[in-house]
Amino acid sequence: MKRFSLLLVACVAALSAHAIYLNGVDYRIDTLSMFPAGPGATMFELRMNKTAGAGGRLDCWLLTVDTDHPNISIEQVLGSGKLIGTERPSSMAKRKSTDTKVYFAGTNGDFFVTQGDVGRPIGLTIANNEYCYTPNNNRLIGAVDEQFHGLLGTLGRFSGKLVLADTTLNIHHVNYKREENQLVLYNQHNAATTLTNAYGTELLIELLPGNEWHTSATLQAKITDKQVNIGSMAIPAGQAVLSGHGTMADMLNTLNIGDTVTLNLQLKIDDQVVNASNCVGGDNYAMILNNGEVEQSNFWNEKHPRTAFGASENGHVLYFLVVDGRGVSEGCTTKVLAEILQHFGAYKAVNWDGGGSSCMYLNPFGPMNNGSDGQERACGNGMFVVANVPGPDTTVAAIAARNPICILPRYGMAAPSFLGYNQYGLIVNTEVEGVVLSCDSSVGEILPDGSFFATGANGGVLHATLGNSTTDLTVRIIDSAPISIRLDSVLRDHIHPYTIEVQAKINGSPVNLHAGALSWESLQPEVATVSDLGAVIGVSNGYADIIGTLGEFADTIRVHVEMPEHHEQMWSDFREPARWELKASSGFNPTLVVPDDTLAPVDLQFTYKSARGPYIRLGNTEPLYSLPDTVRVVFRTDAVVEKITVGIRPCNLTASASYVSTQTFTQGERTIVDISINDLVGNDPAIFPLFFDYLRFPIETTTTEGQHHIWLDGISLIYKDITDPVSALDHLPAGARVKKLQDGQVIITIAGRTYNAQGQRID
């Protein structure tokens, strides 16, 4: 983890400006995540947006690698493990990984053949000091030497010679097809055999002790087998085959099993002899970044998904970069690709295969980017960072934040995500639980749920601890950020204040804010007011727009105020039958009969007949007034009813919540059913207004056939925090009935006599 911190310094310096200049346009860099990817490696998830004008978003994944880390290697992997064939980068890494070699990060590699020999890389290809393919073409080189330092160039040239006692033969190329009069060197990267025809001679060779395969070396080998006019000779691991045709076959025929031969192999990159341990070819344009300078003319000028490989000036730091395209992220030219790498410290860089092939892989996450095919594409090869470890280990020995820089407005809240690493620096847990946060009181406070609340004005350091492992996060306070109020509108009264729920978008991710972080204003204070802490309260019936501002950004919430006047208010007395849709079992013929007596209940008449699941249902889709705590249904019936069902629908849902009564109903007696809104649907402000959906009476089959009645006193709403003025209503004897008329007048009936709300008899 020490090497991570050293490498991080340069990258954080590049990020500190928060801006980048790409092809003459200013972009803002948002670092969505930044964490150790494995030993010696760091992963950056970056989002770049134009600072002016529409569009221009680039989603980027940058992997930086310190090649001086003692436990890593850089290795090229062929798709399906052979020259011809394709495989997804994640599959390549998983196939190659063992308990002691973990291919933990990498990208797709070279352009490859898509017809015929599908998957064969187009450029020079080397794996673990052995040539995989040596085409004679003008393609860029993205390679590493035997210390895994970067070797990047515009041209790679292979030359090989077979030295015999009295002559020297040119080796035309390594692997792939043997043409007329050619001598070809085949190894295990070609396939299990040479795949040649029967018209030639093939010699199986094995390096003598003290010799090892290198891309530039003089090697001594012994002939261990010879086949004439057979073809497709088997290639054991670590050995090779010299295969000749025509005149070259004639020369090989002079050799026998047991003879010793000399191989002179040489690789030049831009006329310099090198030993490249692993190599992936690039395109046939100029290097996109060469000696610190971005190529200005000879580049791909179309916007597409891209993959690039780069190195620092001394080659000790490698850069793998993937930029998404053909979607929300618009992709980029190879010039912009180079400018991004240059910004983060690369000195040289080449363009690898892009488009749907672009893939950034990280174990244990898999593909990190969003490929333009909609899924990971099988490719010809890839380049990977490999951890060489003693064995498997899943114990968390260290932790690191997904992003060590916590950017918040003041009064913002954050619950950082932490990764767990084993003793070798490999990620073994992608969501570590139990991490304890702490900080100085001048920075903020830790909330009861364990999250961080940034109460300080100047930021500082946030400490994270898990057992003996600790890590620090930098808290940076900003004055402005895009904000979003959770609700577009909210229903309120004058009793229940509502603290507006706000999020800010920081580096593309939502962050919860305390409403006190914003400046607030009510445009209609006569309807609703708002405090400095974002608490809204109703003043009078109507609508008010509340505006919250954080720096240069603002958002609005509309507040609808409905103020109940009484503790209990009638919502419907069923005296408007048109408001209700009646449904019932076949033959019931339900009818709402409204009596002339305004104090008498409405009579729901129906004819009971034997039926399967007999019922009567009254439907309604009107909103309930304000914020009731209880919905009360009052009725009596001469039918047998054991339960009723009431459906109430929150405004943010398409289906209603069903309340099923559990109380006992006595035939012919007046019954009150109280439905707690909190118990039924909760009290989230987003659910209001509530809509009354239906009232359903299942009729028991023990009911006698014939005419029956359900007398409906009404549906009322109870507001527990509303207190009526002192009146006769506060001292009602048992059996009293209260009804609010359309004009607002309250009528009380006691023992057949009628009174007003002041207790005066009016009949």
Side-chain angles (χ1 to χ4, degrees):
M1 304 297 278
K2 290 182 180 178
R3 288 193 176 272
F4 158 69
S5 62
L6 293 175
L7 182 58
L8 188 62
V9 171
C11 292
V12 169
L15 289 170
S16 62
H18 302 295
I20 187 171
Y21 197 58
L22 301 175
N23 197 33
V25 177
D26 285 317
Y27 285 74
R28 177 181 176 84
I29 301 175
D30 291 329
T31 306
L32 307 187
S33 63
M34 176 173 58
F35 56 90
T42 308
M43 178 65 71
F44 298 84
E45 182 183 358
L46 308 169
R47 178 166 295 161
M48 303 179 185
N49 290 286
K50 285 183 180 178
T51 56
R57 171 171 154 182
L58 294 175
D59 293 342
C60 311
W61 286 262
L62 174 65
L63 177 71
T64 60
V65 183
D66 176 5
T67 60
D68 290 332
H69 193 286
N71 297 331
I72 66 165
S73 56
I74 309 297
E75 300 185 21
Q76 183 270 152
V77 177
L78 290 171
S80 300
K82 55 187 178 181
L83 186 61
I84 298 173
T86 61
E87 189 176 9
R88 293 176 175 177
S90 61
S91 177
M92 296 180 199
K94 292 173 184 177
R95 173 175 57 83
K96 293 285 290 182
S97 290
T98 66
D99 286 346
T100 58
K101 287 180 70 70
V102 182
Y103 290 66
F104 68 86
T107 67
N108 64 295
D110 197 357
F111 302 82
F112 57 91
V113 174
T114 58
Q115 293 182 344
D117 299 327
V118 176
R120 173 171 56 82
I122 294 177
L124 177 67
T125 309
I126 299 170
N128 297 321
N129 300 302
E130 293 185 350
Y131 290 103
C132 299
Y133 183 48
T134 58
N136 185 21
N137 57 30
N138 298 322
R139 311 287 291 196
L140 298 177
I141 301 298
V144 293
D145 63 19
E146 293 182 310
Q147 288 73 46
F148 309 112
H149 300 158
L151 284 176
L152 289 85
T154 59
L155 183 64
R157 282 287 182 261
F158 160 79
S159 64
K161 297 183 183 298
L162 173 62
V163 181
L164 304 180
D166 54 356
T167 188
T168 298
L169 306 178
N170 286 327
I171 299 174
H172 291 82
H173 55 261
V174 179
N175 293 327
Y176 201 51
K177 295 178 181 179
R178 182 194 65 194
E179 303 291 349
E180 184 177 359
N181 297 321
Q182 282 189 344
L183 175 61
V184 178
L185 177 66
Y186 288 100
N187 59 32
Q188 60 187 329
H189 300 293
N190 181 68
T193 73
T194 61
L195 303 178
T196 54
N197 59 33
Y199 305 106
T201 296
E202 297 189 321
L203 304 177
L204 182 64
I205 61 172
E206 183 178 55
L207 295 181
L208 294 178
N211 290 260
E212 293 182 354
W213 291 107
H214 297 280
T215 50
S216 291
T218 298
L219 304 172
Q220 303 295 317
K222 179 176 67 174
I223 300 171
T224 60
D225 196 8
K226 179 179 180 180
Q227 293 180 357
V228 180
N229 297 329
I230 295 177
S232 201
M233 192 177 200
I235 312 173
Q239 299 184 41
V241 172
L242 289 166
S243 180
H245 176 275
T247 57
M248 290 297 177
D250 293 339
M251 298 302 298
L252 295 185
N253 284 333
T254 65
L255 300 172
N256 297 298
I257 296 175
D259 287 351
T260 298
V261 296
T262 299
L263 298 175
N264 285 331
L265 306 179
Q266 186 182 86
L267 175 64
K268 287 185 177 181
I269 296 180
D270 295 341
D271 296 325
Q272 182 179 355
V273 177
V274 296
N275 256 316
S277 64
N278 290 268
C279 179
V280 168
D283 62 25
N284 56 357
Y285 287 74
M287 290 182 65
I288 60 174
L289 180 64
N290 195 7
N291 297 328
E293 298 294 328
V294 174
E295 174 60 34
Q296 298 296 320
S297 58
N298 187 15
F299 63 89
W300 284 19
N301 200 26
E302 304 86 20
K303 293 182 179 180
H304 293 293
R306 301 288 182 187
T307 301
F309 175 71
S312 61
E313 185 171 2
N314 64 5
H316 291 215
V317 178
L318 300 181
Y319 300 82
F320 296 79
L321 175 64
V322 167
V323 179
D324 270 356
R326 301 174 184 169
V328 176
S329 176
E330 67 178 13
C332 65
T333 67
T334 58
K335 177 186 176 185
V336 167
L337 196 66
E339 289 174 332
I340 296 173
L341 285 167
Q342 180 192 50
H343 180 84
F344 286 97
Y347 190 70
K348 290 187 176 183
V350 297
N351 175 55
W352 282 349
D353 189 17
S357 298
S358 286
C359 176
M360 174 66 76
Y361 168 80
L362 179 62
N363 180 58
F365 296 99
M368 297 292 287
N369 65 306
N370 302 302
S372 63
D373 285 356
Q375 60 182 355
E376 187 183 1
R377 178 186 289 181
C379 304
N381 66 349
M383 190 78 97
F384 293 89
V385 190
V386 183
N388 302 286
V389 296
D393 182 2
T394 58
T395 301
V396 174
I399 58 172
R402 286 289 295 264
N403 196 336
I405 302 176
C406 187
I407 302 174
L408 293 170
R410 191 178 186 188
Y411 304 117
M413 289 166 275
S417 176
F418 294 90
L419 302 171
Y421 300 80
N422 66 14
Q423 60 183 316
Y424 311 122
L426 290 169
I427 300 172
V428 293
N429 190 325
T430 59
E431 196 66 48
V432 177
E433 297 181 353
V435 177
V436 178
L437 301 179
S438 61
C439 63
D440 188 88
S441 59
S442 64
V443 178
E445 61 183 83
I446 308 304
L447 300 177
D449 64 359
S451 60
F452 169 66
F453 185 27
T455 57
N458 301 313
V461 177
L462 180 63
H463 309 289
T465 303
L466 179 71
N468 294 325
S469 178
T470 61
T471 188
D472 288 342
L473 296 81
T474 299
V475 177
R476 182 182 299 161
I477 301 300
I478 57 176
D479 296 326
S480 181
I483 56 173
S484 175
I485 296 175
R486 176 186 170 224
L487 302 177
D488 294 328
S489 61
V490 67
L491 177 65
R492 289 288 98 183
D493 59 17
H494 59 298
I495 298 295
H496 302 99
Y498 166 62
T499 299
I500 300 173
E501 300 162 272
V502 188
Q503 285 187 332
K505 185 166 282 189
I506 309 295
N507 291 344
S509 299
V511 172
N512 291 329
L513 288 184
H514 187 282
L518 281 67
S519 299
W520 296 101
E521 179 186 8
S522 173
L523 299 186
Q524 291 82 25
E526 71 279 5
V527 175
T529 61
V530 58
S531 73
D532 291 341
L533 297 179
V536 175
I537 193 72
V539 176
S540 64
N541 289 336
Y543 293 88
D545 291 319
I546 308 293
I547 299 176
T549 304
L550 181 65
E552 59 184 297
F553 298 95
D555 199 6
T556 302
I557 181 173
R558 168 155 281 202
V559 180
H560 180 194
V561 178
E562 290 184 340
M563 301 172 58
E565 296 179 6
H566 299 285
H567 173 72
E568 181 177 356
Q569 293 186 188
M570 182 67 69
W571 178 74
S572 175
D573 58 7
F574 295 98
R575 291 182 177 275
E576 298 179 53
R579 294 173 58 186
W580 296 91
E581 178 186 17
L582 296 180
K583 292 183 179 180
S585 298
S586 177
F588 274 36
N589 299 320
T591 304
L592 281 173
V593 178
V594 180
D596 292 334
D597 183 353
T598 59
L599 297 180
V602 171
D603 185 4
L604 173 56
Q605 300 179 1
F606 64 97
T607 302
Y608 174 72
K609 294 182 179 181
S610 179
R612 178 176 296 179
Y615 75 96
I616 297 176
R617 183 182 188 276
L618 295 91
N620 190 308
T621 58
E622 297 180 19
L624 302 178
Y625 187 78
S626 193
L627 310 175
D629 298 287
T630 302
V631 175
R632 173 170 290 174
V633 179
V634 183
F635 73 96
R636 66 185 176 92
T637 179
D638 61 3
V640 180
V641 175
E642 292 187 356
K643 63 182 179 181
I644 67 169
T645 304
V646 178
I648 294 175
R649 179 178 62 83
C651 67
N652 60 345
L653 298 178
T654 57
S656 62
S658 296
Y659 169 84
V660 180
S661 63
T662 57
Q663 65 199 84
T664 300
F665 300 142
T666 301
Q667 194 172 358
E669 289 189 5
R670 185 169 176 267
T671 303
I672 297 176
V673 177
D674 282 343
I675 304 161
S676 167
I677 292 299
N678 186 60
D679 292 345
L680 184 64
V681 293
N683 58 7
D684 187 336
I687 70 174
F688 297 98
L690 300 172
F691 288 81
F692 192 95
D693 200 356
Y694 64 86
L695 171 61
R696 190 177 189 275
F697 294 91
I699 308 301
E700 297 300 314
T701 56
T702 54
T703 301
T704 59
E705 292 193 353
Q707 186 79 7
H708 285 278
H709 306 267
I710 300 175
W711 290 281
L712 301 166
D713 285 73
I715 298 174
S716 60
L717 307 178
I718 296 175
Y719 310 90
K720 67 181 180 64
D721 294 319
I722 303 294
T723 303
D724 288 331
V726 176
S727 70
L729 296 175
D730 299 301
H731 307 284
L732 296 179
R737 294 173 54 208
V738 180
K739 176 168 290 191
K740 183 179 180 182
L741 304 182
Q742 296 293 331
D743 61 3
Q745 182 181 358
V746 176
I747 300 297
I748 307 168
T749 58
I750 304 174
R753 296 179 178 178
T754 306
Y755 303 84
N756 62 20
Q758 288 71 44
Q760 299 168 329
R761 186 172 174 179
I762 58 176
D763 62 351

